[in-house]
Amino acid sequence: MTDLTSNPPQRGSTNRRRTLEYWLYFVPIFFLALPFTFWRWGRDIVNMKSLNVRGPLARAWSEADRITPLIFSA
């Protein structure tokens, strides 16, 4: 059995380079996602009767961060 505590395997490089082209796609997607995330955020607050949910800016950022790389992979 291998002991990984003393010599753990190297982690993959997660250094995602954010170029100008990436930001040119990211910003409009982020702003287009804002109205939808505000609506979903309000709906979740009403349904859960709690303010313990992710905010609309965090939701819009994650949506844009998820969608923008899909454009570059096509």
Side-chain angles (χ1 to χ4, degrees), residues 19-26 67-74:
T19 61
L20 177 62
E21 184 181 12
Y22 179 88
W23 289 109
L24 287 175
Y25 284 101
F26 180 86
I67 293 171
T68 305
L70 293 174
I71 294 170
F72 287 104
S73 67

Side-chain angles (χ1 to χ4, degrees), residues 45-64:
I45 288 174
V46 171
N47 288 344
M48 294 182 189
K49 296 181 177 77
S50 171
L51 288 175
N52 193 18
V53 293
R54 284 180 52 211
L57 293 177
R59 290 174 186 229
W61 189 276
S62 65
E63 286 293 319

